[in-house]
Amino acid sequence: MAPKRTTVRDLRRHNRSTLLSKLFFDGPLSRHELSQLTGLSAATVSNVTGELVDDRLIIEAGLVESDGGRPRVLLRVDPAYGHVIGIDVGETGVKVELFDLAMNRLAAAEHPMASTRPDPAEVAAQIVSGVGEVLRASGVEQRTVLGIGVGVPGTVEKSDPVVVHAQTIGWEGVALEQLLRAGGITLPLFFDNGAKTLGQAEMWFGAGRGARHAVIALIGSGVGAAVIADGTTYRGSTSSAGEWGHTTLVYDGRLCRCGSHGCLEAYVGAEGILDRYRKARGGRDIPGSDEQSQLDALVAAAVRSKTAAKVLDETAGYLGAGIANLINLFNPERIVLGGWAGLSIGGRLLPTVRQVAKAHALRHPYGVASIELCQLGPDAVAVGAATLPVAALLDEGADPRVSTEAA
């Protein structure tokens, strides 16, 4: 195969992308700093930043003193250039959040799920409704929205239209993009697995920032992970890489929602933890109206109840063993625990989880790995979903609304 020829247009797009990305993540910066940090010539930086100013993508952000010369102008991405929407289709509800380009949250809407195996059409309707709610609440006009990112359970098949395979909630080949278009969504749409959007959020803004090799784990009703190898999310041949929750922890063990037995998710996912606690209580109901409140009740009860404490200690053991597997398989420098259940459990059990992981992992890879909690909280999946249209802007150096229209 002949090598792809790089055109002047390709080079220009690369330079725009490089400078825009540097300003987004590390700005405000002067043109002199941009040249030093990117390796681009002063003339190229001056020309490209001039274009970006003309396009209103970046703005001046004050002055900084220089060594003996005139003060240098600082540049930054303009937060008011546009807006992005991030959607977390979780297993307990749909969360919709609206951000400006500085990733300041401007509005949010949340709709609980009526079932753990939700009807796709109902989920699409909740998303459409939530988008309308955040636009109305913020006063933001739809024309200013660069795109909508959607984080979903399961595997996202990048077909046309996009199709979702989420075995644990009963979705097989669901054309979610088509459902959203039928519901009236006309903005650019971007889809990814929720654990991967969580991973991108934590790598960009949270506990993963600065790491080149990391695993960002999402623990909610279910369990997943984003595997970051040399700064890039590893996806596998069909983008289903990272289904950590469906690795076997106990041969012929507990029944998992996927239909198999002994999966990690059946032991450390919220649904599995609560089922084990319920059985340990002789089948008695757990206080709380939903999984989150019930897990909170379990954690709170552990200080006075031996039964609750035992269930949590067992959970820490299972989770630590699962993390040891990640360390042995991927040799990450950092493992980040996120998701609403991961934060609830990790806040109490992280020292025990670390001890168990140390006992089960090989000494050398464990010695270079840190195990930390997610920094962005329970909104991390939605934040990560909102970064999908931002990533398109940074990768192309151009507005995704224009790119979509041109396509």
Side-chain angles (χ1 to χ4, degrees), residues 21-42:
S21 296
K22 182 57 67 175
L23 287 170
F24 180 80
F25 290 112
D26 300 319
L29 296 167
S30 69
R31 290 175 175 84
H32 178 70
E33 289 171 318
L34 284 169
S35 180
Q36 289 183 318
L37 292 169
T38 63
L40 296 174
S41 70

Side-chain angles (χ1 to χ4, degrees), residues 223-314:
V223 175
V227 179
I228 314 300
D230 200 22
T232 301
T233 301
Y234 177 70
R235 295 184 174 276
S237 61
T238 61
S239 199
S240 71
E243 288 292 348
W244 176 49
H246 300 290
T247 56
T248 301
L249 186 68
V250 179
Y251 174 72
D252 201 26
R254 288 173 50 82
L255 177 65
C256 180
R257 297 182 306 164
C258 73
S260 187
H261 289 79
C263 295
L264 177 70
E265 182 176 297
Y267 294 89
V268 305
E271 186 173 306
I273 296 170
L274 294 172
D275 184 58
R276 289 191 293 112
Y277 184 41
R278 197 174 291 109
K279 288 178 178 176
R281 286 164 52 91
R284 287 185 293 130
D285 289 338
I286 303 169
S289 59
D290 56 25
E291 283 187 351
Q292 293 193 40
S293 58
Q294 289 175 343
L295 188 62
D296 289 342
L298 165 58
V299 172
V303 297
R304 60 182 184 277
S305 165
K306 291 183 178 179
T307 300
K310 182 181 179 183
V311 169
L312 282 186
D313 286 343
E314 289 174 347

